[in-house]
Each structure stands twice: as structure tokens, then as C-alpha cells.
Amino acid sequence: MNFQLPDLTPMIPELLLTAFALIVILIDLLVKKKEAIAIISMTGVALIGLSLFGTSGETFGTMFISDSYSTFFKLIFFINVILTILISIKYIAVERMNYGEYYSLILFATIGMMIMASAGDLIVLYLGLELMALSTYILAGFIRHDVKSNEAALKYFLLGAFSSAFLLYGISIVYGLTGTTDLKAIAGFVTERGLTDNMSLLLSVIFLVVAFGFKIAAAPFHMWAPDVYEGAPTSVTAFMSVGPKAAGFAVLGRVFMIAFVSVKVDWVAILIPISILTMAVGNIVALAQTNIKRMLAYSSIAHAGYALIGIITANSEGLASMMNYLMIYTFMNIGAFAVIIMLRSEGFRGDSIYDYEGLGKTHPLAAMLMLIFMFSLTGIPPTAGFIGKLYIFMSAINAGYTWLVVVAVIFSAISAYFYLRIIMYMYMREPKTDVSLTTSFSNGVALALTAVVILVVGVFPTALVEFAKAAVKGF
């Protein structure tokens, strides 16, 4: 029997990153200064990132697809990794969790996200999701001596297992109906055999929505997010707030727009109330938060609601606006967490909103950077956050969902209260605590990079918008 190895060219970035993650583990045994592992990890990720372009194609049949759509998301994952490592170098030393495994776990989680973005088959999707999830469970509990961190890891694991059960049940129903887990084949079976009115197929779609809803922290599947965001190490929270969310949206777009495009009336009807509930829960509950990490957790939930609008439009314009939004969200959210990390020092957590009182007078540069990130998260021009929301809302209006945009704008206006409240505390309150910043060159680079991108994209958005539009062509 002859065995022919499939063409692995489309998987080159994943294979390189896997080999590199294993090498990082070995380097950890040889290098005492863990900062060196961080630099090696960033350099490796940046070099492997170059291989993202020029490796398009399908392999293992159509189980793994490398196209412009997946490449766009993988770029988000790589940017997320580099920014996370930049803000982690000093922080993990302060938290006394300066272990080399930290960086390899981030890399393994990223490989899982990349597999999810390229999955052309539900089984491959599940494998990628579990690799990402198992790595992030460990990262959430990485501060072993901290009860909150342990609690966060346990809650994340239990609810993650719950989500996996829904995903597998949904996949099993789909397989029972169609005899395949291939996304394109599922689409063919659903159309040819007239399954569009089949209640079992609708049930499987509901199960998949529940599973993906957990990964993007959409309401009512969001209950894990505030506790995990608060308890996990801040650098891990920053990583989780972007990567897994973007991966969840990548599979949402690919699965529903390929496998279930013929029943889009059904899943759009399910996603609309979820989007509205997600925006409502995220923005309204955030109003009462005094812990800034919990506030950003609810903010993250709200932003998932906005991004869902791009999926609801069920067309290429909506998908492109959703991808554009997630790329912008990467920079503005990690930038905000980088400021929080600066306030963390020995014996001082710096995650209460009251810790920011008078920051504009004691540390004006840090306050100005936080102001930029808060403005962008609110969606105030000329920041990139405004551009992200603008294109999401325009795509929805063009698809006939003007009323949904009105709802989203109302909730966006509500969000201004809790974002601008931080600015008010920084500039209109007298400092009550003696806050000393934990500065580092790497964190400064991350702050400068995120702030510049937010301002530049806010003024010159065309390049990013066109890049996102090109990524969904032929999808």
C-alpha cells in the first residue's frame, strides 16, 4: 500500500510555529534569564509571520484551508502574541511567574487559533479549539499562589468543557444528517436533500451557536468572562480578550457562511437577539464596575455584540467590516491593558478605578495614553475605534438592518459613561494614593505602537479597510 504525504505547503506557518514552540521549551532548560526567551519568542513569531503570505491552498482534502480570510485572522493572532509578550516581560517578573513555559503556552494557544481560522472541517475546527482552550486554561491559572487566578482557571475550564460538549453534540447531529463534517460538503447536502426545513439541522445550528457564543463571550454565554478576566494575570487577560475572541469570529464566519449559508435565515434570526442581548449586558453591567479589569471584561462582551452585527449581515461587506473591527480592537484593548500593567507593582494591584484618581497630574503621559484607548473603545473620532464601528454600522444599514444599528448606537452612547468615567477620575480628581509606575522598555514599545496605530488608522483608514475587503474576496 502506497502512502502519499499530502502537500503541507498551506500548513507551513502552523508547522513552523509548532516546531518553534517546542524549541522554546528546550531553550527554557538552557537559559536562566527568562527575558531572553521573550525576545527569542517575539523574533521567532515575527519571522514565521512572514510565511503567512504565499502559502495559500488546501490540504488533507479540504480539511485545512489557507486563504486570504484565514491569513487576515492569523495576522491578528501574531500581532496579539507580539504585543502580549511585550507587555508581559516586566509584568510576569513582578507577579513572580517568570517561567519559560508561559511563552510556549502562548504559542501553543496561537497554533490552536490558527487551525481554527483555517478549518474546512468541523473535526479540525474542534482540534484547534481544544488546543487553544487547554493552553489558555493553564495560562489563566498561571499565578499559582493566587486564589483568584486558580478560581479563574477552574471556572474557565468547567465552562469550556460545557461549551465543548455543545459543540460536539452539534457536530454529531450534522454528521448524522449529512454523513460528513466537511463544510463545503455539508452545504451541498443541505441544499440537495432539502434539509433547510429540517428541525434537527436547526437544533445543530443552535448547539453550534451556543459553543461559539461561549468562545466570543456573547450573552447569555458570557458568565465566565468577568471572573476569568479579573482573576487571570493581566497580561493573560489581554491575550485572551483578543485572540480567542477573534478565533471564535473566524469560525463563526466560515462555518455559517459556507456550511449553513442556505439556512442563513435561521441563524441570522438566532444571532440578532444574541447580539442585542450581548450589547445590553456588556454596556449596562459595565456601568456598575469599579474594578477596571471587570469593566474591560464587560466592555469585551459589548464589543462582541457589535462585531456580531457584521456576521448578521451575512454578506462579504459585513464580514470585512467585522474583520476590520477585530484588527482595530486588538490594538486598542491591549493598549488599555498595557496601561493597567504599568500601575501594577509589588504590593499594589492597580486595577481599581480609584487607583486612577489624579493620574493626569502625577503621570500625565500614562493618563494621555489611557485617554486615547478609552476614546477609541468608546468610538470617538479621530480614533480607530470610530472607524471600526462606522464600517460595521454602514454594512448593517446597507444590508437593511438600520433598526439594529439604531440599537447599537444607543448602547454605544451608554458605553461612553464607563469609559469616560476613567478619564474623569484621571483628570478631575485629586490623587489620593501614591501611585508609582512600573515602566519598562518593552511595555513602552507596546504602548507607543498601539497608540500610534489607533491614531493613524483613525485618520487614514483606507489601507486597513481595503485589506479586509480583499481578504474576503472569493470567500
Side-chain angles (χ1 to χ4, degrees), residues 325-344:
Y325 193 83
L326 290 172
M327 179 66 87
I328 290 169
Y329 182 75
T330 302
F331 287 96
M332 59 188 183
N333 213 46
I334 292 188
F337 278 106
V339 176
I340 298 172
I341 280 177
M342 272 208 301
L343 267 69
R344 176 75 171 101

mmCIF file of all heavy atoms in Angstrom, residues 325-344:
data_model
loop_
_atom_site.group_PDB
_atom_site.id
_atom_site.type_symbol
_atom_site.label_atom_id
_atom_site.label_comp_id
_atom_site.label_asym_id
_atom_site.label_seq_id
_atom_site.Cartn_x
_atom_site.Cartn_y
_atom_site.Cartn_z
ATOM 1 N N TYR A 325 -12.919 45.464 12.304
ATOM 2 C CA TYR A 325 -13.222 45.826 13.690
ATOM 3 C C TYR A 325 -12.327 45.059 14.670
ATOM 4 O O TYR A 325 -11.801 45.623 15.630
ATOM 5 C CB TYR A 325 -14.694 45.515 13.981
ATOM 6 C CG TYR A 325 -15.216 46.112 15.256
ATOM 7 C CD1 TYR A 325 -15.650 47.423 15.304
ATOM 8 C CD2 TYR A 325 -15.267 45.371 16.423
ATOM 9 C CE1 TYR A 325 -16.128 47.983 16.471
ATOM 10 C CE2 TYR A 325 -15.737 45.924 17.604
ATOM 11 C CZ TYR A 325 -16.170 47.224 17.611
ATOM 12 O OH TYR A 325 -16.633 47.782 18.786
ATOM 13 N N LEU A 326 -12.156 43.758 14.409
ATOM 14 C CA LEU A 326 -11.349 42.929 15.309
ATOM 15 C C LEU A 326 -9.879 43.318 15.270
ATOM 16 O O LEU A 326 -9.191 43.275 16.296
ATOM 17 C CB LEU A 326 -11.522 41.451 14.952
ATOM 18 C CG LEU A 326 -12.905 40.865 15.269
ATOM 19 C CD1 LEU A 326 -13.035 39.461 14.693
ATOM 20 C CD2 LEU A 326 -13.159 40.840 16.772
ATOM 21 N N MET A 327 -9.394 43.704 14.087
ATOM 22 C CA MET A 327 -7.995 44.154 13.995
ATOM 23 C C MET A 327 -7.794 45.424 14.832
ATOM 24 O O MET A 327 -6.826 45.535 15.600
ATOM 25 C CB MET A 327 -7.640 44.429 12.523
ATOM 26 C CG MET A 327 -6.223 44.928 12.306
ATOM 27 S SD MET A 327 -4.956 43.720 12.710
ATOM 28 C CE MET A 327 -4.829 42.814 11.155
ATOM 29 N N ILE A 328 -8.720 46.365 14.722
ATOM 30 C CA ILE A 328 -8.632 47.610 15.500
ATOM 31 C C ILE A 328 -8.769 47.310 16.996
ATOM 32 O O ILE A 328 -8.031 47.862 17.822
ATOM 33 C CB ILE A 328 -9.730 48.589 15.028
ATOM 34 C CG1 ILE A 328 -9.412 49.098 13.616
ATOM 35 C CG2 ILE A 328 -9.878 49.753 15.999
ATOM 36 C CD1 ILE A 328 -10.551 49.844 12.959
ATOM 37 N N TYR A 329 -9.691 46.408 17.323
ATOM 38 C CA TYR A 329 -9.917 46.043 18.732
ATOM 39 C C TYR A 329 -8.641 45.482 19.369
ATOM 40 O O TYR A 329 -8.369 45.708 20.550
ATOM 41 C CB TYR A 329 -11.052 45.017 18.796
ATOM 42 C CG TYR A 329 -11.409 44.591 20.197
ATOM 43 C CD1 TYR A 329 -12.122 45.431 21.046
ATOM 44 C CD2 TYR A 329 -11.022 43.343 20.687
ATOM 45 C CE1 TYR A 329 -12.443 45.041 22.333
ATOM 46 C CE2 TYR A 329 -11.348 42.949 21.972
ATOM 47 C CZ TYR A 329 -12.059 43.801 22.782
ATOM 48 O OH TYR A 329 -12.367 43.405 24.062
ATOM 49 N N THR A 330 -7.847 44.764 18.570
ATOM 50 C CA THR A 330 -6.594 44.197 19.073
ATOM 51 C C THR A 330 -5.698 45.285 19.640
ATOM 52 O O THR A 330 -5.165 45.164 20.754
ATOM 53 C CB THR A 330 -5.858 43.465 17.928
ATOM 54 O OG1 THR A 330 -6.710 42.452 17.411
ATOM 55 C CG2 THR A 330 -4.564 42.843 18.417
ATOM 56 N N PHE A 331 -5.530 46.354 18.904
ATOM 57 C CA PHE A 331 -4.615 47.415 19.329
ATOM 58 C C PHE A 331 -5.185 48.214 20.507
ATOM 59 O O PHE A 331 -4.482 48.492 21.480
ATOM 60 C CB PHE A 331 -4.313 48.347 18.150
ATOM 61 C CG PHE A 331 -3.412 47.721 17.120
ATOM 62 C CD1 PHE A 331 -3.931 47.101 16.000
ATOM 63 C CD2 PHE A 331 -2.033 47.738 17.290
ATOM 64 C CE1 PHE A 331 -3.105 46.502 15.057
ATOM 65 C CE2 PHE A 331 -1.189 47.148 16.353
ATOM 66 C CZ PHE A 331 -1.728 46.524 15.241
ATOM 67 N N MET A 332 -6.470 48.584 20.435
ATOM 68 C CA MET A 332 -6.983 49.466 21.494
ATOM 69 C C MET A 332 -7.168 48.718 22.810
ATOM 70 O O MET A 332 -6.962 49.284 23.880
ATOM 71 C CB MET A 332 -8.281 50.155 21.050
ATOM 72 C CG MET A 332 -9.435 49.287 20.672
ATOM 73 S SD MET A 332 -10.761 50.318 19.958
ATOM 74 C CE MET A 332 -12.038 49.076 19.676
ATOM 75 N N ASN A 333 -7.494 47.442 22.765
ATOM 76 C CA ASN A 333 -7.699 46.703 24.006
ATOM 77 C C ASN A 333 -6.374 46.343 24.676
ATOM 78 O O ASN A 333 -6.224 46.490 25.894
ATOM 79 C CB ASN A 333 -8.505 45.423 23.724
ATOM 80 C CG ASN A 333 -9.401 45.065 24.890
ATOM 81 O OD1 ASN A 333 -10.074 45.931 25.429
ATOM 82 N ND2 ASN A 333 -9.400 43.821 25.298
ATOM 83 N N ILE A 334 -5.415 45.871 23.910
ATOM 84 C CA ILE A 334 -4.122 45.537 24.510
ATOM 85 C C ILE A 334 -3.428 46.811 24.999
ATOM 86 O O ILE A 334 -2.738 46.795 26.025
ATOM 87 C CB ILE A 334 -3.239 44.756 23.516
ATOM 88 C CG1 ILE A 334 -3.871 43.380 23.275
ATOM 89 C CG2 ILE A 334 -1.821 44.608 24.047
ATOM 90 C CD1 ILE A 334 -3.039 42.428 22.470
ATOM 91 N N GLY A 335 -3.638 47.917 24.301
ATOM 92 C CA GLY A 335 -3.090 49.194 24.773
ATOM 93 C C GLY A 335 -3.632 49.547 26.150
ATOM 94 O O GLY A 335 -2.879 49.971 27.047
ATOM 95 N N ALA A 336 -4.940 49.370 26.357
ATOM 96 C CA ALA A 336 -5.550 49.663 27.663
ATOM 97 C C ALA A 336 -4.967 48.758 28.751
ATOM 98 O O ALA A 336 -4.664 49.209 29.863
ATOM 99 C CB ALA A 336 -7.067 49.484 27.580
ATOM 100 N N PHE A 337 -4.791 47.478 28.435
ATOM 101 C CA PHE A 337 -4.218 46.555 29.421
ATOM 102 C C PHE A 337 -2.745 46.896 29.703
ATOM 103 O O PHE A 337 -2.253 46.653 30.804
ATOM 104 C CB PHE A 337 -4.354 45.110 28.944
ATOM 105 C CG PHE A 337 -5.706 44.520 29.231
ATOM 106 C CD1 PHE A 337 -6.632 44.334 28.228
ATOM 107 C CD2 PHE A 337 -6.054 44.164 30.522
ATOM 108 C CE1 PHE A 337 -7.881 43.795 28.496
ATOM 109 C CE2 PHE A 337 -7.302 43.628 30.810
ATOM 110 C CZ PHE A 337 -8.225 43.449 29.791
ATOM 111 N N ALA A 338 -2.042 47.424 28.713
ATOM 112 C CA ALA A 338 -0.642 47.817 28.932
ATOM 113 C C ALA A 338 -0.546 48.933 29.966
ATOM 114 O O ALA A 338 0.390 48.967 30.774
ATOM 115 C CB ALA A 338 -0.014 48.256 27.609
ATOM 116 N N VAL A 339 -1.510 49.854 29.966
ATOM 117 C CA VAL A 339 -1.529 50.919 30.977
ATOM 118 C C VAL A 339 -1.819 50.328 32.356
ATOM 119 O O VAL A 339 -1.178 50.689 33.357
ATOM 120 C CB VAL A 339 -2.576 51.999 30.621
ATOM 121 C CG1 VAL A 339 -2.646 53.051 31.736
ATOM 122 C CG2 VAL A 339 -2.234 52.668 29.299
ATOM 123 N N ILE A 340 -2.770 49.395 32.425
ATOM 124 C CA ILE A 340 -3.089 48.747 33.710
ATOM 125 C C ILE A 340 -1.847 48.047 34.263
ATOM 126 O O ILE A 340 -1.559 48.117 35.463
ATOM 127 C CB ILE A 340 -4.235 47.728 33.525
ATOM 128 C CG1 ILE A 340 -5.511 48.428 33.060
ATOM 129 C CG2 ILE A 340 -4.510 46.977 34.831
ATOM 130 C CD1 ILE A 340 -6.630 47.482 32.666
ATOM 131 N N ILE A 341 -1.103 47.394 33.387
ATOM 132 C CA ILE A 341 0.116 46.685 33.815
ATOM 133 C C ILE A 341 1.145 47.660 34.373
ATOM 134 O O ILE A 341 1.875 47.345 35.312
ATOM 135 C CB ILE A 341 0.673 45.873 32.626
ATOM 136 C CG1 ILE A 341 -0.126 44.564 32.505
ATOM 137 C CG2 ILE A 341 2.158 45.593 32.776
ATOM 138 C CD1 ILE A 341 0.252 43.701 31.335
ATOM 139 N N MET A 342 1.206 48.868 33.811
ATOM 140 C CA MET A 342 2.157 49.869 34.327
ATOM 141 C C MET A 342 1.870 50.220 35.775
ATOM 142 O O MET A 342 2.766 50.577 36.540
ATOM 143 C CB MET A 342 2.092 51.142 33.475
ATOM 144 C CG MET A 342 3.018 51.117 32.292
ATOM 145 S SD MET A 342 3.535 52.766 31.794
ATOM 146 C CE MET A 342 2.015 53.558 31.426
ATOM 147 N N LEU A 343 0.592 50.176 36.167
ATOM 148 C CA LEU A 343 0.227 50.545 37.545
ATOM 149 C C LEU A 343 0.476 49.409 38.529
ATOM 150 O O LEU A 343 0.425 49.619 39.737
ATOM 151 C CB LEU A 343 -1.248 50.963 37.615
ATOM 152 C CG LEU A 343 -1.508 52.471 37.460
ATOM 153 C CD1 LEU A 343 -1.197 52.923 36.058
ATOM 154 C CD2 LEU A 343 -2.950 52.798 37.801
ATOM 155 N N ARG A 344 0.736 48.207 38.020
ATOM 156 C CA ARG A 344 0.977 47.058 38.899
ATOM 157 C C ARG A 344 2.410 47.110 39.418
ATOM 158 O O ARG A 344 3.368 47.231 38.666
ATOM 159 C CB ARG A 344 0.766 45.758 38.124
ATOM 160 C CG ARG A 344 1.076 44.497 38.917
ATOM 161 C CD ARG A 344 -0.010 44.198 39.928
ATOM 162 N NE ARG A 344 0.170 42.891 40.544
ATOM 163 C CZ ARG A 344 0.688 42.699 41.766
ATOM 164 N NH1 ARG A 344 1.098 43.723 42.491
ATOM 165 N NH2 ARG A 344 0.804 41.479 42.251
#
